[in-house]
Amino acid sequence: MSTGAVAQRLGVAAGTLRSWERRYAIGPAVHIAGTHRRWMPQDIARLEEMCRLTAQGVPPAEAARAAWAKAARRFEEGAEEDTPATGGRAPGGPAALPLGPVRAECRGLARAAVRLDGDAVEALLDRAIEDHGCVAAWEEIIAPALHAAGRKWASAGERYIEVEHLLSWLVSSTLRRRYEPRLPTREGVRPIVLACAPEELHSLPLEALWAALVERGLPVKMFGPAFPAEALVEAVRRVGPSLVVVWAQARPAAATELVGAVEGVRWGVRGARSRSTLLMAGPGWSSVPQAGSRLLTGLRSGLALIEQRLAD
């Protein structure tokens, strides 16, 4: 495997692998003249052992010595080294996030998050978005890692709150950094208003929708978490949006009243007033009767519904 592929697999920056090679001689055991470095399975097994140890707080130099010592013992015992030591699971044993079958980039992102390696997390997020675009990066790499962190936190208690918080913060900051310098927007399209329901603090899925809309050149105004109903009504009145998307992880309090208030806003000159189309996003709306065909159940399908409504 190439250095870049190994870095994705392990959830470390490629620069970190090169630094480890220079400082601790933990690089490929075999070098082929005139070619880029290629890591064999036994090389990757040593790296996975080093990652496992550093995730437990072992200093890198000591972790490298221990990884080489373990490789030597396996060689002396005649153990096969044609498969990485962790069998493809995230290093750290019980510390690994419960991912299931996912892309290698997702596994690497989870590993970096468990190690609290912020630099590696940011590099992996940037590469995922660059290589796959916002939607695929979110659905196939970022969201599975976030869900796994949440499940681990739920099962292991406060111990994993730092993993989920670090990962969430870096996802949010990466999306803003990459998409805040706005792309040219489509002409003739009124803005789309995005807001979380009152008391809803989990805004990350809505931020992913914001980024995906910006990526498509659609004008968006984001109002973020826990947006009061009165403020949302006033924002709709002042902006005159084509669509209003309200995100809710849990069922909003007074959901029916919220829907009625937003849908009741009209603007424009007398006799030619307009109103917005309200769309509802997130599992909190699934039991609200007014959601129906206006419910966004995922990023990709939600974007398709938004595009359809804009075309109507």
Side-chain angles (χ1 to χ4, degrees):
M1 297 176 68
S2 68
T3 297
V6 173
Q8 281 193 328
R9 177 190 179 100
L10 299 180
V12 298
T16 299
L17 295 185
R18 289 189 284 269
S19 174
W20 285 355
E21 183 178 4
R22 289 194 309 271
R23 296 181 180 183
Y24 314 120
I26 199 74
V30 177
H31 292 269
I32 302 174
T35 66
H36 294 292
R37 283 172 170 74
R38 287 294 183 266
W39 300 75
M40 303 298 287
Q42 58 268 32
D43 303 323
I44 299 171
R46 287 192 296 274
L47 285 176
E48 289 187 333
E49 177 65 10
M50 184 163 178
C51 286
R52 185 185 70 82
L53 293 171
T54 55
Q56 296 174 354
V58 178
E62 184 178 339
R65 287 194 295 271
W68 272 111
K70 182 174 181 178
R73 288 195 301 272
R74 287 173 60 82
F75 179 79
E76 291 172 359
E77 294 166 1
E80 294 290 335
E81 281 201 309
D82 58 356
T83 303
T86 62
R89 296 187 302 273
L97 298 182
L99 288 167
V102 293
R103 299 180 67 115
E105 296 100 319
C106 176
R107 201 169 297 283
L109 181 63
R111 290 169 171 171
V114 168
R115 294 198 310 275
L116 303 182
D117 187 343
D119 291 341
V121 168
E122 281 196 297
L124 291 165
L125 289 170
D126 273 322
R127 180 163 181 178
I129 294 171
E130 186 71 29
D131 290 350
H132 306 292
C134 180
V135 176
W138 173 263
E139 291 193 336
E140 301 175 21
I141 299 170
I142 299 171
L146 286 166
H147 293 158
R151 290 193 297 271
K152 192 72 172 181
W153 177 12
S155 63
E158 293 296 315
R159 180 183 172 195
Y160 279 86
I161 189 172
E162 72 278 8
V163 175
E164 185 179 40
H165 277 231
L166 177 71
L167 182 56
S168 297
W169 168 253
L170 291 175
V171 170
S172 178
S173 61
T174 298
L175 290 174
R176 295 190 195 186
R177 173 169 48 80
R178 291 192 65 92
Y179 292 103
E180 191 57 52
R182 300 296 184 89
L183 301 174
T185 56
R186 299 183 200 175
E187 295 183 2
V189 178
R190 296 200 310 272
I192 300 170
V193 162
L194 305 181
C196 289
E199 302 180 4
E200 177 57 69
L201 299 175
H202 298 88
S203 64
L204 203 49
L206 195 66
E207 294 176 43
L209 176 60
W210 168 83
L213 292 170
V214 172
E215 189 176 64
R216 282 157 177 73
L218 290 167
V220 190
K221 291 190 181 296
M222 163 70 93
F223 290 94
F227 200 51
E230 299 81 4
L232 179 58
V233 167
E234 183 61 21
V236 172
R237 180 177 291 112
R238 295 178 60 185
V239 173
S242 55
L243 301 172
V244 178
V245 181
V246 180
W247 163 266
Q249 179 73 27
R251 182 186 172 101
T256 301
E257 291 80 358
L258 177 61
V259 172
V262 174
E263 290 187 326
V265 179
R266 303 186 69 184
W267 64 86
V269 298
R270 188 181 300 276
R273 294 186 183 276
S274 301
R275 70 175 65 199
S276 304
T277 297
L278 176 64
L279 300 177
M280 297 156 232
W285 293 105
S286 58
S287 61
V288 176
Q290 294 95 326
S293 61
R294 296 182 295 172
L295 180 62
L296 280 59
T297 56
L299 183 55
R300 191 182 302 274
S301 59
L303 287 169
L305 180 56
I306 287 173
E307 292 280 13
Q308 176 188 330
R309 293 299 180 121
L310 290 175
D312 290 344

